[in-house]
Amino acid sequence: MSTVRRLFEDGVSRHLAAVELLRGGPLDGLERLTDAVHRTLVRGNKVLACGNGGSAADAQHFVAELVGRYLEERRALAAVALNTDGSVLTCVSNDYDYERVFARQIEALGRPGDLFLGITTSGRSPNILRALETAGRLGLETAALLGRDGGPALPLARVAIVVPSTETARIQECHGLMIHLLCEALDQRLREDGADVRA
């Protein structure tokens, strides 16, 4: 077996081991998050999501599945990824500091009844912590996709899902899977609602 093939085999094994960690607690949390997102959207509120780096891509991915669609043909769902507007990101970072880059947007866009989802594999990103604090203070539902032991973000989120792995790549892979599972469950819940689902 070549060195590269051995690396691939090992990576797949570590991925599967991380996915197995989702059974139980994390999947219970995912069910609660599905309920919270569904509740937010059916009452006419919106989802705000963000992260840094790969977690920023996960936030954008989640929002794209809501505004566009996942599997079901349905109406567009109200969601915004806070890490996508370069002018806002650089303005807030320059005029204030990067720690406030998401919190400032929550102050501008968030309303009581909205849901904020922060994604951080370490649970320690200062701008996500500040965003969770701000969202909670302003009356938004707070949720987080986390890794490792959850870090200081854990107590700041009403619904927190922790992937108990220490490997960032594996945590991100699990976050991606949970986003897809959440979207699939949300499609099912909206289909069960019946009214005002289809575009």
Side-chain angles (χ1 to χ4, degrees), residues 32-48 62 66 75 77-80 111-117 139-143 158-159 186 189-190 193:
R32 290 194 302 275
L33 180 57
T34 300
D35 291 342
V37 172
H38 176 257
R39 186 169 59 246
T40 297
L41 294 171
V42 296
R43 69 187 174 206
N45 291 100
K46 62 185 173 294
V47 173
L48 304 174
F62 179 47
L66 297 183
R75 65 183 172 88
L77 302 172
V80 179
R111 299 292 179 270
D114 291 345
L115 182 143
F116 169 67
L117 173 66
L140 281 71
E141 180 90 51
T142 55
R158 184 172 174 193
V159 180
L186 189 59
R189 293 288 298 276
L190 291 170
D193 291 344

Side-chain angles (χ1 to χ4, degrees):
M1 182 184 295
S2 72
T3 302
V4 169
R5 180 55 183 264
R6 193 175 300 112
L7 181 149
F8 291 162
E9 295 283 352
D10 182 58
V12 169
S13 295
R14 297 198 317 275
H15 169 82
L16 293 173
V19 169
E20 280 296 323
L21 294 173
L22 299 182
R23 297 184 188 279
L27 290 184
D28 292 341
L30 188 59
E31 188 170 3
R32 290 194 302 275
L33 180 57
T34 300
D35 291 342
V37 172
H38 176 257
R39 186 169 59 246
T40 297
L41 294 171
V42 296
R43 69 187 174 206
N45 291 100
K46 62 185 173 294
V47 173
L48 304 174
C50 65
N52 297 286
S55 296
D58 286 338
Q60 288 178 243
H61 182 178
F62 179 47
V63 166
E65 303 287 20
L66 297 183
V67 175
R69 66 171 184 172
Y70 182 61
L71 296 176
E72 301 284 332
E73 192 62 48
R74 51 145 172 82
R75 65 183 172 88
L77 302 172
V80 179
L82 302 179
N83 45 256
T84 58
D85 189 327
S87 294
V88 170
L89 296 174
T90 54
C91 169
V92 175
S93 297
N94 186 60
D95 292 353
Y96 301 95
D97 58 64
Y98 194 63
E99 186 175 315
R100 293 184 61 182
V101 73
F102 301 133
R104 184 77 173 174
Q105 293 182 74
I106 291 170
E107 291 172 4
L109 302 173
R111 299 292 179 270
D114 291 345
L115 182 143
F116 169 67
L117 173 66
I119 307 177
T120 164
T121 60
S122 68
R124 299 180 179 281
S125 302
N127 53 12
I128 300 295
L129 299 177
R130 186 75 172 264
L132 284 165
E133 291 167 351
T134 300
R137 177 171 52 81
L138 295 178
L140 281 71
E141 180 90 51
T142 55
L145 295 182
L146 308 169
R148 295 175 172 80
D149 63 359
L154 185 59
L156 298 177
R158 184 172 174 193
V159 180
I161 305 171
V162 180
V163 179
S165 170
T166 58
E167 197 173 352
T168 299
R170 305 292 86 84
I171 296 166
Q172 288 177 332
E173 290 160 9
C174 290
H175 285 174
L177 173 60
M178 288 192 291
I179 286 167
H180 278 168
L181 292 174
L182 169 56
C183 291
E184 188 168 349
L186 189 59
D187 275 359
Q188 178 177 307
R189 293 288 298 276
L190 291 170
R191 186 171 61 250
E192 290 169 353
D193 291 344
D196 193 29
V197 173
R198 299 198 176 274

